[in-house]
Amino acid sequence: MEAIAFPQCLNSVLQTPPTPNKLKHCINNFSPTLLPHDLNELKSLHSVKEMHAQIVKMSEKWVSSEKTQTLISNYLEFGDFQSAATVFFLGFQKNYLYLDSFLEELKGFGGDPLEILEVFSELHKKGVEFNSSNITLVMKICASLMELWFGLEVHALLIKRGLDFDVYIKCALMNFYGMCSDIKSANQVFYETPNHESLLWKEAILMNLKSEKWVQVLQLFSLMQYSFVKTNIFTIHNVLQTCAKLGALDEGKQIHGYVIRNALESNVLICNSLINMYMKNNGPVLARTVFDLMENRNLSSWNSIISGYTILGYLHEALNLFQDMQIYNVKPHIVTWNCLLSGHLLSELYLEVLSILRKMQYAGYKPNSVSIISVLHAICKLGFLKFGKEIHCYVLRNGFESNLHVVTSLLDMYVKNNDLIQAKTVFDNMKNRNIFAWNTLISGYVSVGRFEEVRSFLDLMGMGGIKPDLITYNIMVSGYSSLGCIKEALDILIKMKTSGLAPNVVSWTALISGCSQNGYHEDAFRYSIEMQTEGIKPNSSTLASLLRSCAGLSLLQKGKEIHCHSIRNGLVEDVFMTTALIDMYSKSGSYKNAYDVFQNAKKKTLASWNSMIGGLAMYSFAKEAISLFHKMPDENIQPDSITFTAVLSSCKNSGLIDQGWKYFDLMKREYNIIPKIEHYTCMVDLLGRAGYIDEAWDIIQTMPMQPDVTIWGSFLGSCRVHENLNLGKIAARKLFELEPQNPANYISLMNLYAVLNKWEDVDRIRTLMRARGLKNGHIWSWIQIKQTVHVFSARGKPHQDEGEIHFELYQLISEMKNLGYVPAIDCVYHNIEAMEKEKILLGHSEKLAITYGLIKTKGSAAPIRVIKNTRICSDCHTVAKYISLLRNRVILLKDGLRFHHFSNGKCSCNDFW
């Protein structure tokens, strides 16, 4: 091999080594007085070289490892790094034993490890023949410095000198290729070696483990056993690590059997690896068995079992073991405490995280950066800004402000707690800002719609040499789309593509989610098709967003298709999918399917319980909803304010006044949940519709917050039903102030006047609407037959089968009248004759949709599902009951946010709506 040309680096003594006769003469005439008493007393580089020359002239007995190390240190101290490297190569017989300490000392004095390779090249040029240990050392340095070409030349030298069969060199070569090239080249070195010694197997397994080639590690270990090569504990440890990473429980059990057969179960390292392997494979019972059978446990053993329990959510067992450490006189380490913190954080027990922190401090342990990060994440979820500021002070007092992970977590805490001023202060004080810090800050400003500042941040990023990454753009897409700015979100997607980044599933899901959240349901489906056209498969979050759109449009058939897709792709067990499916089925008229999804869910979260209780409330199944509420404690699920909104809604929809008061008081008394505006809305609606207008008015007058449009709208509706003009006028006046451009408020007041035959006031309100440019809202109903949606409305083009529909409807009305049906003409709020009012009633969109469903599904037992955008009138409600009886069909009619379930002449709402 031709040596690489490097600058001269050898000192004059080594350039002209003494002849044997001259060396003998020097030794015979050597006087100790010529040497300083102590090498450490050398005062200059010149004196070090003089000493070096005298040592070279002496016999080998003078060249000890201690003197060699001292000589190297002196060269390093005076900055002669190349001479130090030369002594290192030629002075130690086993220099590979001192490599790490030498490199550390070299760097400590400002030296460059590359100079070691320069010295090797110069010595090689001068004819120095290195042994296998020296060349092994050089290969290790090449690997650590990622010097691929130098290492290839050294490999060529090995082949020329026939040293490439040395097992230590082979191991060094595998390490070199694994670090500087690829694992394929490293494995090639292994497989081309004729005799595989134990050390070579160990290196092959280690290199594949480092390269995360888990299957290859197991295959190598299996071949090793077939070759009858005895393994050591470190190789077994590495293979068990692989089983943990790969989720290979069966292979892990086999290795456990190997451990027992070879009487290695007393080795602490192997037992700890077995515990970790079983825990990572969701086998806490087997892990605990290994732990209990250990004769000698170290701190790592306790940490492994406690960490495993916390990660799997077995917190009670973890805490019991933590207490047992005191019994066995094992003092917990900061790592042990951090395991408890992270485990409770993973289990979403955020208050417990703070409690453990306190206990940790009382026990005399000082939280480190890992502890602080876990606590800050818990504070983010709890919204405890004040406590977050205390942690910030702790960070400053203890010098953690230079820790990038801690400061980024602090920044995230302030952002999640909507304190952008403090977040910006933390950011400005950061010495090193990486892309994660920028993205965290940008996410905070995006969440509140401050896009002007965000654009300036992007400019500053560019000035600092940091390019926006995929996460940056995804944050902006999510921010724009969640605020309903779909066009701007699309612009970001285009900008992302022009910058060379391809939108991923997160990008598209953010856009689709924004559409579904803001009512752009058709756009959500359109973008999902575009996403798949670009070859990106939807994930569980994408499907959950599409299910939200299905729920918004009550598209049951489309929702079922998405459900089937999630089953085929193994996404149905996702907790977000479960909640979305329950919500979709509930809002699409299939509460039975919703309940089946809920019952079959392996993991029921609070959100899924709330969704199911709310779904039952939509159908006025109050008893079932309340029963489900009382089952929550058995599943260790704590109800929240949303749960009580669902329970109170079920009471409201079924007219259960006593139960409504009971749960309204219960949320404050037993669960310490302060009622919000939505809880007061439920109570006002419940009391008002039941005829307790004065009680509802008292709640409005005494509630601790200002009534909103929902409360006043509900109260006005109750006043209309019970013909209370005085309070109704007050409610209408408040609505006109809050929503002057909402025509529904004017219509409600007009209907109240119409019920009381105050036609002049009706005309007055109608004139007021015209003056303000307001028109009656578009009222429609629709039904899906197979894959086609049929819309019925007083406006627009009549349905193509209108004649057949009216013929069937007249026949139905005739049959109903024979059973005692009387048209409720008071539902028509017009000053016209009774016969005209009957004709108007026959044209109500829900009647037409139900009738069309009967025509098109004759002979079918499937329910008829009709969706209406406004509240059903009492006449249509009565007609639906009669039809369900006459045709023996179940009719599900959605008006607004609730369903009427008609069967055998009865409705689930018990005529309370």
PDB file of all heavy atoms in Angstrom, residues 811-834:
ATOM      1  N   GLN A 811    -103.163   8.430   0.750  1.00  0.00           N
ATOM      2  CA  GLN A 811    -103.702   7.139   1.178  1.00  0.00           C
ATOM      3  C   GLN A 811    -103.395   6.885   2.661  1.00  0.00           C
ATOM      4  O   GLN A 811    -104.247   6.405   3.417  1.00  0.00           O
ATOM      5  CB  GLN A 811    -103.117   6.032   0.299  1.00  0.00           C
ATOM      6  CG  GLN A 811    -103.920   4.740   0.305  1.00  0.00           C
ATOM      7  CD  GLN A 811    -103.421   3.769  -0.757  1.00  0.00           C
ATOM      8  OE1 GLN A 811    -102.271   3.820  -1.170  1.00  0.00           O
ATOM      9  NE2 GLN A 811    -104.288   2.894  -1.225  1.00  0.00           N
ATOM     10  N   LEU A 812    -102.176   7.225   3.033  1.00  0.00           N
ATOM     11  CA  LEU A 812    -101.779   7.060   4.437  1.00  0.00           C
ATOM     12  C   LEU A 812    -102.609   7.956   5.357  1.00  0.00           C
ATOM     13  O   LEU A 812    -103.073   7.515   6.428  1.00  0.00           O
ATOM     14  CB  LEU A 812    -100.283   7.394   4.596  1.00  0.00           C
ATOM     15  CG  LEU A 812     -99.283   6.339   4.133  1.00  0.00           C
ATOM     16  CD1 LEU A 812     -97.888   6.941   4.052  1.00  0.00           C
ATOM     17  CD2 LEU A 812     -99.294   5.138   5.072  1.00  0.00           C
ATOM     18  N   ILE A 813    -102.819   9.212   4.940  1.00  0.00           N
ATOM     19  CA  ILE A 813    -103.590  10.154   5.762  1.00  0.00           C
ATOM     20  C   ILE A 813    -105.019   9.642   5.934  1.00  0.00           C
ATOM     21  O   ILE A 813    -105.611   9.739   7.026  1.00  0.00           O
ATOM     22  CB  ILE A 813    -103.587  11.554   5.126  1.00  0.00           C
ATOM     23  CG1 ILE A 813    -102.164  12.144   5.129  1.00  0.00           C
ATOM     24  CG2 ILE A 813    -104.552  12.493   5.865  1.00  0.00           C
ATOM     25  CD1 ILE A 813    -101.579  12.375   6.491  1.00  0.00           C
ATOM     26  N   SER A 814    -105.574   9.073   4.853  1.00  0.00           N
ATOM     27  CA  SER A 814    -106.937   8.526   4.924  1.00  0.00           C
ATOM     28  C   SER A 814    -107.003   7.394   5.944  1.00  0.00           C
ATOM     29  O   SER A 814    -107.937   7.332   6.765  1.00  0.00           O
ATOM     30  CB  SER A 814    -107.360   8.032   3.539  1.00  0.00           C
ATOM     31  OG  SER A 814    -108.641   7.450   3.590  1.00  0.00           O
ATOM     32  N   GLU A 815    -106.043   6.506   5.922  1.00  0.00           N
ATOM     33  CA  GLU A 815    -106.013   5.394   6.879  1.00  0.00           C
ATOM     34  C   GLU A 815    -105.849   5.926   8.308  1.00  0.00           C
ATOM     35  O   GLU A 815    -106.421   5.390   9.259  1.00  0.00           O
ATOM     36  CB  GLU A 815    -104.882   4.436   6.535  1.00  0.00           C
ATOM     37  CG  GLU A 815    -105.072   3.673   5.227  1.00  0.00           C
ATOM     38  CD  GLU A 815    -103.909   2.745   4.926  1.00  0.00           C
ATOM     39  OE1 GLU A 815    -103.469   2.041   5.849  1.00  0.00           O
ATOM     40  OE2 GLU A 815    -103.419   2.729   3.781  1.00  0.00           O
ATOM     41  N   MET A 816    -105.045   6.965   8.471  1.00  0.00           N
ATOM     42  CA  MET A 816    -104.812   7.542   9.801  1.00  0.00           C
ATOM     43  C   MET A 816    -106.092   8.156  10.360  1.00  0.00           C
ATOM     44  O   MET A 816    -106.396   8.007  11.560  1.00  0.00           O
ATOM     45  CB  MET A 816    -103.734   8.627   9.719  1.00  0.00           C
ATOM     46  CG  MET A 816    -102.343   8.125   9.443  1.00  0.00           C
ATOM     47  SD  MET A 816    -101.193   9.525   9.333  1.00  0.00           S
ATOM     48  CE  MET A 816     -99.959   8.832   8.279  1.00  0.00           C
ATOM     49  N   LYS A 817    -106.819   8.850   9.511  1.00  0.00           N
ATOM     50  CA  LYS A 817    -108.058   9.483   9.980  1.00  0.00           C
ATOM     51  C   LYS A 817    -109.061   8.449  10.449  1.00  0.00           C
ATOM     52  O   LYS A 817    -109.837   8.701  11.393  1.00  0.00           O
ATOM     53  CB  LYS A 817    -108.653  10.349   8.870  1.00  0.00           C
ATOM     54  CG  LYS A 817    -107.875  11.640   8.633  1.00  0.00           C
ATOM     55  CD  LYS A 817    -108.517  12.515   7.570  1.00  0.00           C
ATOM     56  CE  LYS A 817    -107.768  13.838   7.422  1.00  0.00           C
ATOM     57  NZ  LYS A 817    -108.362  14.715   6.372  1.00  0.00           N
ATOM     58  N   ASN A 818    -109.037   7.274   9.837  1.00  0.00           N
ATOM     59  CA  ASN A 818    -109.915   6.196  10.293  1.00  0.00           C
ATOM     60  C   ASN A 818    -109.531   5.732  11.696  1.00  0.00           C
ATOM     61  O   ASN A 818    -110.362   5.174  12.428  1.00  0.00           O
ATOM     62  CB  ASN A 818    -109.857   5.017   9.320  1.00  0.00           C
ATOM     63  CG  ASN A 818    -110.491   5.334   7.988  1.00  0.00           C
ATOM     64  OD1 ASN A 818    -111.373   6.200   7.915  1.00  0.00           O
ATOM     65  ND2 ASN A 818    -110.064   4.655   6.931  1.00  0.00           N
ATOM     66  N   LEU A 819    -108.245   5.957  12.053  1.00  0.00           N
ATOM     67  CA  LEU A 819    -107.779   5.569  13.398  1.00  0.00           C
ATOM     68  C   LEU A 819    -107.854   6.724  14.392  1.00  0.00           C
ATOM     69  O   LEU A 819    -107.418   6.589  15.533  1.00  0.00           O
ATOM     70  CB  LEU A 819    -106.333   5.074  13.314  1.00  0.00           C
ATOM     71  CG  LEU A 819    -106.088   3.780  12.520  1.00  0.00           C
ATOM     72  CD1 LEU A 819    -104.613   3.470  12.460  1.00  0.00           C
ATOM     73  CD2 LEU A 819    -106.847   2.611  13.142  1.00  0.00           C
ATOM     74  N   GLY A 820    -108.388   7.895  13.942  1.00  0.00           N
ATOM     75  CA  GLY A 820    -108.572   9.016  14.855  1.00  0.00           C
ATOM     76  C   GLY A 820    -107.610  10.167  14.674  1.00  0.00           C
ATOM     77  O   GLY A 820    -107.599  11.104  15.486  1.00  0.00           O
ATOM     78  N   TYR A 821    -106.828  10.141  13.600  1.00  0.00           N
ATOM     79  CA  TYR A 821    -105.880  11.231  13.366  1.00  0.00           C
ATOM     80  C   TYR A 821    -106.614  12.513  13.009  1.00  0.00           C
ATOM     81  O   TYR A 821    -107.515  12.521  12.172  1.00  0.00           O
ATOM     82  CB  TYR A 821    -104.916  10.853  12.238  1.00  0.00           C
ATOM     83  CG  TYR A 821    -104.175  12.024  11.639  1.00  0.00           C
ATOM     84  CD1 TYR A 821    -103.207  12.719  12.358  1.00  0.00           C
ATOM     85  CD2 TYR A 821    -104.468  12.434  10.320  1.00  0.00           C
ATOM     86  CE1 TYR A 821    -102.539  13.791  11.790  1.00  0.00           C
ATOM     87  CE2 TYR A 821    -103.786  13.506   9.760  1.00  0.00           C
ATOM     88  CZ  TYR A 821    -102.829  14.186  10.491  1.00  0.00           C
ATOM     89  OH  TYR A 821    -102.166  15.254   9.925  1.00  0.00           O
ATOM     90  N   VAL A 822    -106.208  13.623  13.646  1.00  0.00           N
ATOM     91  CA  VAL A 822    -106.738  14.951  13.342  1.00  0.00           C
ATOM     92  C   VAL A 822    -105.539  15.862  13.051  1.00  0.00           C
ATOM     93  O   VAL A 822    -104.657  15.998  13.897  1.00  0.00           O
ATOM     94  CB  VAL A 822    -107.561  15.524  14.513  1.00  0.00           C
ATOM     95  CG1 VAL A 822    -108.021  16.932  14.192  1.00  0.00           C
ATOM     96  CG2 VAL A 822    -108.733  14.625  14.839  1.00  0.00           C
ATOM     97  N   PRO A 823    -105.512  16.468  11.849  1.00  0.00           N
ATOM     98  CA  PRO A 823    -104.369  17.334  11.522  1.00  0.00           C
ATOM     99  C   PRO A 823    -104.223  18.473  12.534  1.00  0.00           C
ATOM    100  O   PRO A 823    -105.192  19.115  12.922  1.00  0.00           O
ATOM    101  CB  PRO A 823    -104.711  17.864  10.127  1.00  0.00           C
ATOM    102  CG  PRO A 823    -105.669  16.858   9.572  1.00  0.00           C
ATOM    103  CD  PRO A 823    -106.470  16.350  10.731  1.00  0.00           C
ATOM    104  N   ALA A 824    -102.984  18.731  12.961  1.00  0.00           N
ATOM    105  CA  ALA A 824    -102.689  19.807  13.922  1.00  0.00           C
ATOM    106  C   ALA A 824    -102.407  21.077  13.145  1.00  0.00           C
ATOM    107  O   ALA A 824    -101.252  21.457  12.927  1.00  0.00           O
ATOM    108  CB  ALA A 824    -101.514  19.416  14.805  1.00  0.00           C
ATOM    109  N   ILE A 825    -103.518  21.753  12.724  1.00  0.00           N
ATOM    110  CA  ILE A 825    -103.353  22.943  11.884  1.00  0.00           C
ATOM    111  C   ILE A 825    -102.736  24.117  12.625  1.00  0.00           C
ATOM    112  O   ILE A 825    -102.292  25.091  12.003  1.00  0.00           O
ATOM    113  CB  ILE A 825    -104.718  23.352  11.275  1.00  0.00           C
ATOM    114  CG1 ILE A 825    -105.721  23.646  12.386  1.00  0.00           C
ATOM    115  CG2 ILE A 825    -105.239  22.273  10.335  1.00  0.00           C
ATOM    116  CD1 ILE A 825    -107.039  24.181  11.877  1.00  0.00           C
ATOM    117  N   ASP A 826    -102.684  24.039  13.965  1.00  0.00           N
ATOM    118  CA  ASP A 826    -102.055  25.130  14.716  1.00  0.00           C
ATOM    119  C   ASP A 826    -100.536  25.162  14.503  1.00  0.00           C
ATOM    120  O   ASP A 826     -99.850  26.080  14.948  1.00  0.00           O
ATOM    121  CB  ASP A 826    -102.379  25.021  16.209  1.00  0.00           C
ATOM    122  CG  ASP A 826    -101.941  23.692  16.809  1.00  0.00           C
ATOM    123  OD1 ASP A 826    -101.789  22.706  16.039  1.00  0.00           O
ATOM    124  OD2 ASP A 826    -101.745  23.629  18.033  1.00  0.00           O
ATOM    125  N   CYS A 827    -100.012  24.147  13.806  1.00  0.00           N
ATOM    126  CA  CYS A 827     -98.582  24.137  13.489  1.00  0.00           C
ATOM    127  C   CYS A 827     -98.265  25.052  12.317  1.00  0.00           C
ATOM    128  O   CYS A 827     -97.085  25.300  12.031  1.00  0.00           O
ATOM    129  CB  CYS A 827     -98.124  22.720  13.145  1.00  0.00           C
ATOM    130  SG  CYS A 827     -98.165  21.570  14.541  1.00  0.00           S
ATOM    131  N   VAL A 828     -99.331  25.502  11.601  1.00  0.00           N
ATOM    132  CA  VAL A 828     -99.116  26.386  10.462  1.00  0.00           C
ATOM    133  C   VAL A 828     -99.285  27.820  10.947  1.00  0.00           C
ATOM    134  O   VAL A 828    -100.383  28.212  11.370  1.00  0.00           O
ATOM    135  CB  VAL A 828    -100.106  26.077   9.317  1.00  0.00           C
ATOM    136  CG1 VAL A 828     -99.863  27.013   8.141  1.00  0.00           C
ATOM    137  CG2 VAL A 828     -99.977  24.622   8.887  1.00  0.00           C
ATOM    138  N   TYR A 829     -98.218  28.584  10.912  1.00  0.00           N
ATOM    139  CA  TYR A 829     -98.234  29.927  11.480  1.00  0.00           C
ATOM    140  C   TYR A 829     -98.547  30.970  10.402  1.00  0.00           C
ATOM    141  O   TYR A 829     -97.776  31.893  10.160  1.00  0.00           O
ATOM    142  CB  TYR A 829     -96.906  30.223  12.155  1.00  0.00           C
ATOM    143  CG  TYR A 829     -96.549  29.205  13.220  1.00  0.00           C
ATOM    144  CD1 TYR A 829     -95.443  28.366  13.067  1.00  0.00           C
ATOM    145  CD2 TYR A 829     -97.341  29.070  14.345  1.00  0.00           C
ATOM    146  CE1 TYR A 829     -95.125  27.438  14.034  1.00  0.00           C
ATOM    147  CE2 TYR A 829     -97.043  28.136  15.321  1.00  0.00           C
ATOM    148  CZ  TYR A 829     -95.934  27.314  15.157  1.00  0.00           C
ATOM    149  OH  TYR A 829     -95.624  26.381  16.112  1.00  0.00           O
ATOM    150  N   HIS A 830     -99.670  30.740   9.723  1.00  0.00           N
ATOM    151  CA  HIS A 830    -100.144  31.677   8.700  1.00  0.00           C
ATOM    152  C   HIS A 830    -101.622  31.963   8.934  1.00  0.00           C
ATOM    153  O   HIS A 830    -102.384  31.077   9.350  1.00  0.00           O
ATOM    154  CB  HIS A 830     -99.948  31.098   7.284  1.00  0.00           C
ATOM    155  CG  HIS A 830     -98.522  30.851   6.933  1.00  0.00           C
ATOM    156  ND1 HIS A 830     -97.672  31.853   6.545  1.00  0.00           N
ATOM    157  CD2 HIS A 830     -97.781  29.698   6.914  1.00  0.00           C
ATOM    158  CE1 HIS A 830     -96.466  31.348   6.295  1.00  0.00           C
ATOM    159  NE2 HIS A 830     -96.523  30.032   6.520  1.00  0.00           N
ATOM    160  N   ASN A 831    -102.059  33.153   8.622  1.00  0.00           N
ATOM    161  CA  ASN A 831    -103.455  33.576   8.827  1.00  0.00           C
ATOM    162  C   ASN A 831    -104.275  33.201   7.602  1.00  0.00           C
ATOM    163  O   ASN A 831    -104.650  34.046   6.786  1.00  0.00           O
ATOM    164  CB  ASN A 831    -103.501  35.083   9.083  1.00  0.00           C
ATOM    165  CG  ASN A 831    -104.880  35.541   9.532  1.00  0.00           C
ATOM    166  OD1 ASN A 831    -105.711  34.737   9.944  1.00  0.00           O
ATOM    167  ND2 ASN A 831    -105.122  36.842   9.452  1.00  0.00           N
ATOM    168  N   ILE A 832    -104.538  31.883   7.452  1.00  0.00           N
ATOM    169  CA  ILE A 832    -105.284  31.377   6.308  1.00  0.00           C
ATOM    170  C   ILE A 832    -106.343  30.391   6.790  1.00  0.00           C
ATOM    171  O   ILE A 832    -106.422  30.048   7.973  1.00  0.00           O
ATOM    172  CB  ILE A 832    -104.345  30.687   5.297  1.00  0.00           C
ATOM    173  CG1 ILE A 832    -103.536  29.584   5.992  1.00  0.00           C
ATOM    174  CG2 ILE A 832    -103.418  31.690   4.622  1.00  0.00           C
ATOM    175  CD1 ILE A 832    -102.633  28.805   5.056  1.00  0.00           C
ATOM    176  N   GLU A 833    -107.176  29.884   5.851  1.00  0.00           N
ATOM    177  CA  GLU A 833    -108.262  28.960   6.186  1.00  0.00           C
ATOM    178  C   GLU A 833    -107.693  27.608   6.626  1.00  0.00           C
ATOM    179  O   GLU A 833    -106.576  27.228   6.274  1.00  0.00           O
ATOM    180  CB  GLU A 833    -109.180  28.765   4.972  1.00  0.00           C
ATOM    181  CG  GLU A 833    -109.904  30.024   4.524  1.00  0.00           C
ATOM    182  CD  GLU A 833    -110.882  30.513   5.572  1.00  0.00           C
ATOM    183  OE1 GLU A 833    -111.442  29.675   6.303  1.00  0.00           O
ATOM    184  OE2 GLU A 833    -111.060  31.737   5.671  1.00  0.00           O
ATOM    185  N   ALA A 834    -108.522  26.860   7.369  1.00  0.00           N
ATOM    186  CA  ALA A 834    -108.114  25.564   7.911  1.00  0.00           C
ATOM    187  C   ALA A 834    -107.750  24.585   6.797  1.00  0.00           C
ATOM    188  O   ALA A 834    -106.771  23.827   6.904  1.00  0.00           O
ATOM    189  CB  ALA A 834    -109.216  24.983   8.784  1.00  0.00           C
TER     190      ALA A 834
END
